[in-house]
Every structure is written in C-alpha cells, then in structure tokens.
Amino acid sequence: MGTGHPLRIGILAFDDVEELDLVGPYDVLTAWAARSPLRPEVCIFSPDGAGIRAAKGLRLLPDTSAAEVGELHVLIHPGGQGTRRLAQDHDHLAWLRGLRATTPLLASVCTGALVYAAAGLLAGRPATTHWQAVDELTALDPSVLIDTEARFVDDGDILTSAGVSAGIDMALHLVARLESATAAREVRRAIQYDPAPPV
C-alpha cells in the first residue's frame, strides 16, 4: 500500500467520544512510534477536521479530516455516547464500508463496535464491546458472536476491545502484532502500565 509512510494508524475523533477510548490507544501507539524502527505514524482525525468536544468535556484539535487523512494501515474507531449517533449516520457508515476496502485492519474500542456492526462489518464474526452495550450490539446485528469476557478480540482484519481501559490492552496487542511482543513490553514499561486494582 503506497501511503508514503511505512505504517499509518488513524484514530477517529468525534463529538462525545469517550476520552480514554481515544487517548489510551493514542498514548500507547505514540510511545511505540517514538522508539520503533518501523517509524509508525499515528494521527487523529475528525469527520470534518474541526475540533471536537469529548464525552466529559475534553476538547481536542485533530490533525486532519476524514477526507484528507489518506490511506491507513489501521483505523481505530473509539466509543462513547457519540457512537449512537454515528451508528445511525448513513454517510458515516458508507464511509466506513468504503474505508474497509483499502484498510487492512479495523479496530474499535468500547462502543465503537456498535458502529462497525451498524455498517455490517461484524456480521457473523466474534467481537466484544463494553459490557453495558452488549444488548445494543445484539440488537444491531444478532449474528455477531459476542465475547463478554475478553478484554479484546482479534479476528484477523478486525479487532474489537471491551470498554474504555481495555483499549490500552488492545493497543499493546497491536504493537505486539505489528512489531513484536518485546516491543509491546517495552512500551508497557515506558508508560508504566501495570494494572493492580486496589479492590
């Protein structure tokens, strides 16, 4: 794929995106980009290139727009309340279907899976989402094989993760998959990600 860069990863930003769904994978992947010989490029883009207001009020200024982002090797579609609107947006769903044809790997965080299901991209496939959104995912496409226990589900060209912080785990898995387990461990150590819940 002639993207002009060895490896391009795009993370979609939109109004009412869940902050950690976007920023968690971004932090993992940019930490990887800073040390990887593969020199991956990580960019954040919004549908129209304009700034967005996330679910809890964080404002973000994306790098570019969906029309200008160019070809990607990986698309990450975060979740959040904004996904309910996008799952009913025919233009957005058509854009996703078109992107599917040129993008080797699609990933989602949390309720980003709802949008993929609405676009018909999860039909008959294993996937996961936030535990509170399982019924919504089933309603959108009853053929999806929902894994309610997994932190993430890797089904080859589609990768879905469970809620919010699970996107960090999925992003580390992406690093391992795209480079190596050693690289993923180095990134995990660099960001000091070692969950040890107090309860």
Side-chain angles (χ1 to χ4, degrees):
M1 181 184 299
T3 63
H5 205 281
L7 183 59
R8 298 191 71 240
I9 301 170
I11 305 176
L12 178 65
F14 50 89
D15 284 331
D16 293 319
V17 65
E18 184 67 30
E19 280 86 344
L20 193 58
D21 284 12
L22 188 156
V23 176
Y26 180 80
D27 197 64
V28 169
L29 295 168
T30 53
W32 172 48
R35 56 184 36 82
S36 173
L38 298 178
R39 296 177 53 250
E41 177 188 0
V42 184
C43 67
I44 295 177
F45 66 100
S46 66
D48 61 1
I52 63 98
R53 184 183 176 94
K56 296 177 177 70
L58 181 69
R59 293 182 183 273
L60 291 172
L61 183 61
D63 300 308
T64 189
S65 68
E68 299 294 327
V69 71
E71 290 188 335
L72 299 170
H73 294 91
V74 182
L75 167 70
I76 298 178
H77 197 306
Q81 284 301 315
T83 57
R84 277 62 173 195
R85 181 180 63 257
L86 293 177
Q88 298 178 25
D89 183 331
H90 297 294
D91 290 339
H92 184 71
L93 299 180
W95 171 78
L96 271 178
R97 293 184 197 105
L99 197 72
R100 180 76 192 92
T102 61
T103 306
L105 178 57
L106 300 186
S108 67
V109 182
C110 195
T111 56
L114 301 181
V115 187
Y116 283 178
L121 303 180
L122 299 182
R125 304 184 68 145
T128 191
T129 188
H130 192 287
W131 62 270
Q132 289 180 306
V134 167
D135 290 345
E136 289 178 85
L137 183 54
T138 300
L140 283 164
D141 187 343
S143 76
V144 179
L145 308 172
I146 303 173
D147 188 332
T148 59
E149 301 298 322
R151 294 283 284 173
F152 58 85
V153 173
D154 186 337
D155 192 40
D157 57 347
I158 294 204
L159 181 57
T160 55
S161 77
V164 196
S165 66
I168 297 172
D169 296 352
M170 183 192 73
L172 286 166
H173 173 74
L174 262 178
V175 173
R177 180 171 156 176
L178 296 171
E179 184 173 344
S180 68
T182 298
R185 283 192 292 269
E186 289 174 356
V187 170
R188 180 177 172 177
R189 185 168 186 270
I191 65 173
Q192 205 161 355
Y193 179 62
D194 189 17
V199 292

